[in-house]
Amino acid sequence: MREGYFISFEGGDGSGKSTQIQILREFLEERGYDVILTREPGGTPISEKIRSIILDKANSEMDDMTEALLYAAARAQLVSQIIRPALEEGKVVICDRFVDSSMAYQAYARGLGDSVKTINAFAVGDCMPDLTILLKVNPQVGSSRIGNRERDRIELASSDFHKKVYEGYLQLEKLYPERIVGIDAADTIENISGIISERIAGLLER
Ligand code: TMP
């Protein structure tokens, strides 16, 4: 039985997700909601180990399908260990990235297509977000926001790849308009958080 509420955040690298996730967490906690914040790939000891394999710059020979399967494996562990139990206890789960990341990065940008949908359906079953906030950032702006910090294996991919990720997200937004709320990440932090909290407060009150 599932009684909680599942929110995911999506967007290209440098879209400002982390800032908005923190603001939403405080907004919900101030209103008395029990919030579990987690991230992908990661969020459990096993999934964090898988994360370090996926993002390690030294693994440049990683096959695209290996990459997609590792993301799905990390996700299966996170769902069974953290997300599903939290939802069954009536908590609000906020996840930094979920299946849509695999659809944008692996299905669209890597070109693996529908196989990514299939392996992820196997990994998460019916555990999908009730609402997904998509922060839309032009990939060039996103890349410049990453600045000088060291980039991981995915962030180091070509600008063409990141352009495809962006296009993938726009397609997902069109495909799932009832679940995905797209917001222009070029707007101010306050305006973006205002849109998000308004949308979520309305849904949680129901
Ligand atoms: P993060 O930087 O948001 O923590 O995510 C790590 C990187 O992994 C980021 O570049 C996006 C990428 N990614 C995928 O390619 N597929 C996925 O399924 C997920 C969850 C992340």
Side-chain angles (χ1 to χ4, degrees), residues 13 17 39-41 51 55 67 71 75 96-99 101-102 105-106 152 154-155 162:
D13 297 276
K17 282 183 288 104
R39 71 161 179 184
E40 280 233 276
R51 176 187 176 94
L55 298 182
E67 179 183 290
Y71 277 116
R75 183 165 297 133
D96 185 345
R97 301 191 176 280
F98 202 62
V99 172
S101 281
S102 281
Y105 284 77
Q106 281 70 49
D152 61 43
I154 306 288
E155 286 167 342
H162 288 284

Side-chain angles (χ1 to χ4, degrees), residues 3 11 41 55 60 179:
E3 289 182 342
L55 298 182
S60 56
R179 173 172 63 83

Side-chain angles (χ1 to χ4, degrees), residues 25-42:
R25 173 201 216 158
E26 279 168 32
F27 174 86
L28 291 171
E29 284 179 348
E30 277 165 11
R31 280 155 187 78
Y33 290 101
D34 205 342
V35 179
I36 297 285
L37 181 56
T38 190
R39 71 161 179 184
E40 280 233 276

Side-chain angles (χ1 to χ4, degrees), residues 5 27 196-206:
Y5 200 79
F27 174 86
I196 295 173
S197 50
E198 204 172 297
R199 182 78 186 224
I200 285 169
L203 286 166
L204 289 174
E205 271 159 22
R206 270 186 224 153

